[in-house]
Amino acid sequence: MVLAFSFRLHRRDGEARLGEIETPHGRVRTPAFMPIGTQATVKGMYAEQVRATGADIVLANTYHLMLRPGPERIAALGGLHRFMNWPHPILTDSGGFQVMSLAALRKIGDGGVTFRSHLDGTMYELAPERAIEIQLLLGADIVMQLDECVKLPATEGELARGVRLSLAWAERCRRAFEHAPPGRALFGIVQGGDDEKLRQESARALVAMGFDGYAVGGLAVGEPQDVMLRIVETTAPLLPEDRPRYLMGVGTPDDLVEAVGRGMDMFDCVLPTRNGRHGLAFTRFGPINLKNARHADDPRPLDADSMCPAARDYSRAYLHHLVKANEMLGAMLLTAVNLHYYQDLMAGMRAAIQEGTFAAFREKTREGWERGDIPAL
Amino acid sequence: MVLAFSFRLHRRDGEARLGEIETPHGRVRTPAFMPIGTQATVKGMYAEQVRATGADIVLANTYHLMLRPGPERIAALGGLHRFMNWPHPILTDSGGFQVMSLAALRKIGDGGVTFRSHLDGTMYELAPERAIEIQLLLGADIVMQLDECVKLPATEGELARGVRLSLAWAERCRRAFEHAPPGRALFGIVQGGDDEKLRQESARALVAMGFDGYAVGGLAVGEPQDVMLRIVETTAPLLPEDRPRYLMGVGTPDDLVEAVGRGMDMFDCVLPTRNGRHGLAFTRFGPINLKNARHADDPRPLDADSMCPAARDYSRAYLHHLVKANEMLGAMLLTAVNLHYYQDLMAGMRAAIQEGTFAAFREKTREGWERGDIPAL
């Protein structure tokens, strides 16, 4: 039986929302954090481990997978879920953001984007229709429209052009998606940079078209947190109550709590994985840099009370050694620590919304971060 | 209760020996293969995973650990077993071999060796007494004497000097080891390169001194397999029946079978771990290079009948993709595949010796390698 996509909003606490998404590959509890599996793997993690951190869904990158190994190949192998041994929900981005940040010689036209692969120089075209086709070949449960993500700072003219182009592509993606297998979902993406009026225009037009969910894109590109939150505050109320809301590329633990408090449901970010590979651990008591020499003789684990084996069963001295020695196990353990912490944070928020204590949870969580790490004696 | 070191020879089948070593941290079934945990980690593997492949013991490198994080630090943290979350037996080498291959400005004298760290240029001295002290600080179950490993090809004069120096250091290591905690073992190392007379001289002198076990060193340094096996054939019969025999740095799966067939009990080698990181899988049907484009569309696992999840549950197409994309998970999975195969091979040899069918096992194993991998249709 193929489960249809659906979203149920269970409860609200202020603006914060507790919900549940159903997909053909299972359930996603929201607010949800999606670990990033760029090249069909969450770097340094076994799929079972990702699941064990509490993740319901992962994100995979269309740009990377269209270049290597190729969507037709993955489809012939039974789809991305089987390819990467992750039988749970998958969201794929549309490739647009990575084309802007990674590819060379990119050229944007009304028809789509042309670019040169950063791997081998091959020229590719990515039209809205092809972006949908690729994501359906991969077998994504949640498919994102192709959009143009304009870099900040930008002029109003540049931002307006991005909004208009993204809306035109949204409509073309919607039509292309009509051939999708049952149960899959297509999300539209609100653009408009830091311009509230353009954001409103973009959101209203997308809602008028009608999507299974709505993303807020073009943030987490270097702007201050207050700008990001202001745009979320402007945009969220314009999105339908009964559809999931996805804040793309966000963020720090604090960003997540603040954005959930403003009505967002889904998130993805490279921070827990990328920073883990570079020696930084996210914990209840704020970030801890394991490269720091103060850990060299510290027999304590990162968090003795954590349910995460990597945070509980390894000394800081050992983690410090692994990071300094550039050992894979250091990256593996700290990625696990961080993904576990992010999922714990989401689970904490979900429980608090359920109990109507989100404000108190936010306060208590902040207190932990502000207390900070206590050095060894 | 501290278990004393002991070795029991259970059974012989031709020259092949089935035995069991007891150490303060548990039992080692021989013939045994020791995965290499150079910097207090088997690269890309969780300690529990290493155990799950069937490994009873790992090897750690004195040279690397003396430079970073330092033996006194590891001792203060409770020893190497606790540091690396491996509560099972550990053998440490003496550091001599790595000084020769990695350090700069090395100078060998009667008193020991002086060298410059390859990490930061600091000068270190490694005398026989310090080599023992470091290994005891690490808490090794099996400690190796400091020796001089002469590179091949070498003149008889160079080899003879290496043997004399190694014997003098063996005696000093033996005296230094008199202060070791109960239960630890010290192994002497037979040197002499490819010179059978020097090998005999070295072996006889070491046996006269008396060690808990005997290693054959200075091989697996690029010489042809027949030279290596000839030296093993010359040396093994001179070593006491009731002590374990360790062939250092060996080898390929075929080397292991041939050396077990000539009476050797213990082995270590970087091949399964290093080659795994470079895309090569060892299997019952010989080595398989996952970089090869023929795997790109192959949905089959490496070995559907393996008990190793990494060999059984991932398609070759996915492994190929991970290796080509330089993803950590590729190195992690292939390291697991290889260590599992090596341990399966050792377990197969132990079972065969137990049943008196070692010759048939060797034949059958060779047939598998010679059949080779069958490409996809």
Side-chain angles (χ1 to χ4, degrees):
Chain A
M1 187 194 73
V2 175
L3 288 168
F5 179 88
S6 70
F7 175 66
R8 287 198 301 156
L9 181 62
H10 289 318
R11 200 172 288 265
R12 282 182 52 161
D13 179 5
E15 293 302 313
R17 295 149 48 98
L18 179 73
E20 199 167 299
I21 298 171
E22 282 291 348
T23 81
H25 290 88
R27 178 189 64 151
V28 179
R29 297 161 293 178
T30 64
F33 180 79
M34 303 184 279
I36 296 190
T38 298
Q39 303 193 101
T41 162
V42 176
K43 290 186 193 302
M45 298 280 288
Y46 290 93
E48 312 90 87
Q49 272 187 299
V50 175
R51 186 65 172 176
T53 66
D56 290 339
I57 178 170
V58 299
L59 178 148
N61 287 112
T62 287
Y63 171 78
H64 290 85
L65 296 175
M66 78 181 279
L67 303 188
R68 182 177 58 196
E72 280 76 11
R73 170 170 285 146
I74 289 180
L77 289 161
L80 187 55
H81 295 82
R82 182 186 295 181
F83 188 61
M84 66 186 286
N85 279 13
W86 174 263
H88 315 294
I90 296 177
L91 179 147
T92 46
D93 65 6
S94 68
F97 183 80
Q98 269 78 27
V99 168
M100 301 306 149
S101 55
L102 293 177
L105 287 182
R106 54 185 179 271
K107 217 174 101 184
I108 302 177
D110 286 347
V113 54
T114 310
F115 63 94
R116 196 180 277 292
S117 158
H118 75 288
L119 295 178
D120 62 4
T122 308
M123 291 301 300
Y124 285 84
E125 283 182 56
L126 190 61
E129 292 75 14
R130 176 64 178 158
I132 298 301
E133 183 182 28
I134 291 173
Q135 295 180 75
L136 293 177
L137 283 166
L138 295 175
D141 298 282
I142 301 179
V143 168
M144 301 303 297
Q145 73 151 99
L146 186 66
D147 61 333
E148 191 199 357
C149 176
V150 179
K151 272 185 190 150
L152 296 179
T155 65
E156 198 191 323
E158 291 165 337
L159 292 173
R161 178 181 167 279
V163 166
R164 275 196 307 274
L165 194 61
S166 295
L167 286 174
W169 289 355
E171 183 54 40
R172 286 171 57 182
C173 286
R174 231 173 51 87
R175 280 202 302 272
F177 193 76
E178 283 167 9
H179 312 294
R184 312 301 177 85
L186 176 66
F187 281 26
I189 304 178
V190 178
Q191 286 290 352
D194 52 1
D195 186 310
E196 296 183 36
K197 228 176 108 228
L198 283 172
R199 286 282 175 182
Q200 288 167 5
E201 183 188 324
S202 173
R204 290 201 175 102
L206 285 172
V207 172
M209 287 182 211
F211 286 90
D212 300 305
Y214 297 86
V216 178
L219 294 174
V221 290
E223 78 285 356
Q225 191 197 39
D226 64 331
V227 172
M228 185 268 283
L229 293 178
R230 179 169 53 76
I231 296 301
V232 168
E233 277 171 17
T234 305
T235 310
L238 302 175
L239 302 176
E241 275 281 315
D242 62 349
R243 294 285 187 273
R245 304 165 181 174
Y246 163 26
L247 182 55
M248 302 181 83
V250 171
T252 65
D254 184 55
D255 289 339
L256 297 181
V257 173
E258 293 308 312
V260 166
R262 287 162 175 81
M264 300 305 292
D265 306 311
M266 301 167 68
F267 307 89
D268 77 284
C269 189
V270 294
L271 276 185
T273 39
R274 180 176 294 164
N275 284 3
R277 294 198 301 283
H278 293 108
L280 196 87
F282 289 102
T283 78
R284 292 186 292 142
F285 302 112
I288 299 177
N289 185 350
L290 269 309
K291 283 189 182 162
N292 196 306
R294 77 178 167 91
H295 303 294
D297 297 296
D298 194 338
R300 298 174 306 158
L302 279 170
D303 187 346
D305 298 327
S306 174
M307 296 295 285
C308 169
R312 187 189 59 207
D313 299 341
Y314 296 81
S315 68
R316 291 162 182 238
Y318 186 54
L319 295 171
H320 170 78
H321 166 67
L322 294 174
V323 169
K324 295 295 282 185
N326 203 24
E327 280 285 352
M328 275 201 280
L329 187 58
M332 291 158 61
L333 287 168
L334 292 176
T335 301
V337 165
N338 291 348
L339 287 183
H340 210 108
Y341 177 67
Y342 267 61
Q343 295 299 341
D344 282 353
L345 182 63
M346 304 317 287
M349 287 196 274
R350 291 194 299 264
I353 299 167
Q354 174 69 39
E355 291 160 20
T357 57
F358 182 77
F361 177 84
R362 169 157 55 180
E363 199 51 42
K364 201 175 147 229
T365 300
R366 281 187 168 287
E367 278 169 18
W369 294 335
E370 278 159 21
R371 192 208 81 172
D373 185 38
I374 296 178
L377 294 178
Chain B
M1 187 195 72
V2 176
L3 289 168
F5 178 88
S6 70
F7 175 68
R8 287 196 303 155
L9 181 62
H10 289 318
R11 201 172 287 263
R12 282 182 52 162
D13 179 6
E15 293 302 313
R17 295 148 49 99
L18 179 73
E20 200 168 301
I21 298 170
E22 282 291 351
T23 81
H25 290 88
R27 180 187 65 151
V28 179
R29 297 160 293 177
T30 64
F33 180 78
M34 302 183 281
I36 295 190
T38 298
Q39 301 194 103
T41 162
V42 176
K43 290 185 194 305
M45 297 279 288
Y46 290 92
E48 311 90 86
Q49 272 187 299
V50 175
R51 185 65 171 177
T53 65
D56 290 338
I57 178 170
V58 298
L59 178 147
N61 287 113
T62 287
Y63 171 79
H64 291 85
L65 296 175
M66 78 181 278
L67 303 188
R68 182 176 60 195
E72 280 74 13
R73 170 169 285 147
I74 289 180
L77 289 161
L80 186 56
H81 296 81
R82 181 185 297 181
F83 188 62
M84 65 185 286
N85 279 13
W86 174 262
H88 314 295
I90 296 176
L91 179 148
T92 45
D93 66 6
S94 68
F97 182 80
Q98 269 78 25
V99 168
M100 300 307 149
S101 55
L102 293 177
L105 288 183
R106 54 185 178 272
K107 218 174 99 183
I108 302 176
D110 286 348
V113 55
T114 311
F115 64 93
R116 197 180 279 289
S117 158
H118 75 289
L119 295 177
D120 63 4
T122 308
M123 292 300 301
Y124 285 85
E125 283 181 56
L126 190 62
E129 293 75 14
R130 177 63 178 159
I132 298 302
E133 183 183 26
I134 291 172
Q135 295 179 76
L136 293 176
L137 283 165
L138 295 175
D141 298 283
I142 301 179
V143 168
M144 301 303 296
Q145 74 151 98
L146 187 67
D147 62 333
E148 192 200 355
C149 176
V150 179
K151 274 186 189 149
L152 295 180
T155 65
E156 199 192 321
E158 290 164 338
L159 291 173
R161 180 181 165 279
V163 167
R164 273 197 308 275
L165 194 62
S166 295
L167 286 174
W169 288 355
E171 182 55 38
R172 285 171 58 182
C173 286
R174 229 174 53 86
R175 280 202 301 271
F177 192 76
E178 283 166 9
H179 311 294
R184 312 300 177 83
L186 177 66
F187 281 25
I189 304 177
V190 178
Q191 287 290 354
D194 52 1
D195 185 310
E196 296 184 35
K197 228 177 107 227
L198 283 172
R199 286 281 174 183
Q200 289 166 5
E201 183 189 323
S202 174
R204 291 203 174 100
L206 285 172
V207 173
M209 286 181 211
F211 286 89
D212 299 305
Y214 297 87
V216 178
L219 293 175
V221 291
E223 77 284 356
Q225 190 196 40
D226 64 331
V227 172
M228 186 265 282
L229 293 176
R230 178 169 54 78
I231 296 301
V232 168
E233 277 172 17
T234 306
T235 310
L238 302 174
L239 301 176
E241 275 281 315
D242 61 349
R243 294 284 187 278
R245 303 165 181 173
Y246 164 26
L247 182 55
M248 302 181 83
V250 171
T252 65
D254 183 55
D255 289 340
L256 297 182
V257 173
E258 293 307 312
V260 166
R262 287 163 175 81
M264 300 305 292
D265 306 310
M266 301 167 67
F267 306 90
D268 76 283
C269 189
V270 293
L271 276 185
T273 38
R274 181 176 295 164
N275 284 4
R277 293 198 301 282
H278 293 106
L280 196 87
F282 289 102
T283 78
R284 294 184 292 143
F285 302 113
I288 299 177
N289 186 351
L290 269 308
K291 284 188 182 163
N292 197 306
R294 76 178 169 92
H295 303 294
D297 297 296
D298 194 339
R300 299 174 305 157
L302 278 170
D303 186 346
D305 298 327
S306 175
M307 296 294 287
C308 168
R312 188 189 58 208
D313 299 340
Y314 297 81
S315 69
R316 291 161 184 238
Y318 186 54
L319 295 171
H320 171 77
H321 166 68
L322 294 174
V323 169
K324 294 295 281 183
N326 203 24
E327 280 285 353
M328 274 201 281
L329 187 58
M332 291 158 61
L333 287 168
L334 291 177
T335 301
V337 165
N338 291 348
L339 287 183
H340 210 107
Y341 177 67
Y342 266 62
Q343 295 300 341
D344 281 354
L345 183 63
M346 304 316 287
M349 287 196 272
R350 290 194 299 265
I353 299 168
Q354 174 70 40
E355 292 160 19
T357 58
F358 182 77
F361 176 85
R362 170 157 55 180
E363 199 51 42
K364 202 175 146 229
T365 300
R366 281 187 169 289
E367 279 169 17
W369 295 334
E370 278 157 21
R371 192 208 81 172
D373 184 37
I374 296 178
L377 293 178

